Amino acid sequence: QITMQESGPTLVKPTQTLTLTCTFSGFSLTTSGVGVGWIRQPPGKALEWLALIYWDDDKRYSPSLKSRLTVTKDASKNYVVLTMTNMDPVDTATYYCAHRWNNLNTFDYWGPGTLVTVSS
Amino acid sequence: QSALTQPPSASGSPGQSVTISCTGTSSDVGGYNFVSWYQQHPGKAPKLMIYEVSKRPSGVPDRFSGSKSGNTASLTVSGLQAEDEADYYCSSHAGSNNFEVFGGGTKLTVL
């Protein structure tokens, strides 16, 4: 049974760096084809894909946010970290992490999400 | 502005069928058979309903079906039930650079 759980600050100030952790269970990030992605959703708005890291440390980023994003993993401890620099109020959103497996080409298991508010 | 275009709303009466469209380009929907559909109830995380255009994960009722023609994918919900009322999002693989794109979402109302 795969579970995903996001954690991190609920409030950050403008210009600060956001660090979010995704802790997972039920799979290994050392297994070929497995990845963990990050997706966000501003209040009342649509989903937006942010980043993805694969078992082999291949990383993909949204072109519009690439300069601000970094995704890393610790496969032995079952967690993935997303950092986003220079936070702005427009970055206020619920941030989700999700499991991805190349054989399915989709995000099949999602965490409950964590709401991050950017405000001074 | 989302990369994929969905109608903002759709509706149907219990028992009826409703189809939600998702229009992209040849760089995403039209270029790959990697379209997914997610259901999201208020305050909840998205739930995968359809992947690879038309495949249903275990546990998803067969009332939900997906298809694709050219640059447009569709989700059909047959035999509408009250619990189907939710927001629905499509997504598509979009190549190695812009890996995954989402639609703007469609609010499905069961009348």
Side-chain angles (χ1 to χ4, degrees):
Chain A
Q1 177 191 359
I2 291 175
T3 63
M4 315 289 291
Q5 180 69 54
E6 308 85 355
S7 60
T10 58
L11 178 66
V12 298
K13 291 179 170 27
T15 75
Q16 286 187 336
T17 294
L18 171 69
T19 299
L20 294 174
T21 301
C22 174
T23 304
F24 56 85
S25 64
F27 69 95
S28 173
L29 204 38
T30 62
T31 300
S32 179
V34 172
V36 172
W38 288 92
I39 303 101
R40 72 177 179 179
Q41 184 175 36
K45 296 188 178 181
L47 299 167
E48 178 185 20
W49 171 72
L50 301 176
L52 175 71
I53 187 166
Y54 277 115
W55 85 102
D56 60 357
D57 214 37
D58 183 19
K59 302 169 187 177
R60 305 299 171 94
Y61 296 103
S62 166
S64 63
L65 293 167
K66 184 174 184 178
S67 63
R68 300 173 53 205
L69 295 173
T70 302
V71 62
T72 59
K73 64 177 173 64
D74 187 325
S76 65
K77 296 182 180 178
N78 284 4
Y79 69 80
V80 170
V81 174
L82 178 76
T83 60
M84 180 180 291
T85 61
N86 194 25
M87 294 291 285
D88 183 272
V90 299
D91 296 314
T92 294
T94 296
Y95 288 75
Y96 298 98
C97 65
H99 170 271
R100 189 175 183 96
W101 185 35
N102 277 352
N103 282 15
L104 297 184
N105 296 291
T106 190
F107 293 109
D108 52 356
Y109 295 92
W110 294 58
T114 185
L115 175 61
V116 178
T117 301
V118 184
S119 175
S120 55
Chain B
Q1 184 89 8
S2 298
L4 306 180
T5 301
Q6 297 180 235
S9 63
S11 63
S13 299
Q16 288 187 332
S17 294
V18 65
T19 297
I20 299 170
S21 62
C22 170
T23 301
T25 69
S26 58
S27 296
D28 38 65
V29 174
Y32 306 92
N33 287 323
F34 299 149
V35 175
S36 299
W37 289 91
Y38 301 91
Q39 177 191 66
Q40 187 179 36
H41 286 109
K44 300 295 186 181
K47 174 187 176 184
L48 179 66
M49 304 301 284
I50 296 287
Y51 68 98
E52 291 184 349
V53 176
S54 60
K55 298 177 181 178
R56 275 180 289 107
S58 173
V60 172
D62 59 6
R63 302 185 294 104
F64 291 84
S65 61
S67 63
K68 189 185 89 167
S69 178
N71 296 336
T72 298
S74 299
L75 171 72
T76 297
V77 186
S78 305
L80 273 174
Q81 299 182 4
E83 59 261 37
D84 299 333
E85 184 162 296
D87 293 327
Y88 290 84
Y89 291 91
C90 63
S91 75
S92 174
H93 182 61
S96 60
N97 288 331
N98 195 14
F99 188 83
E100 190 85 2
V101 291
F102 283 90
T106 298
K107 182 175 180 59
L108 175 60
T109 301
V110 180
L111 301 170

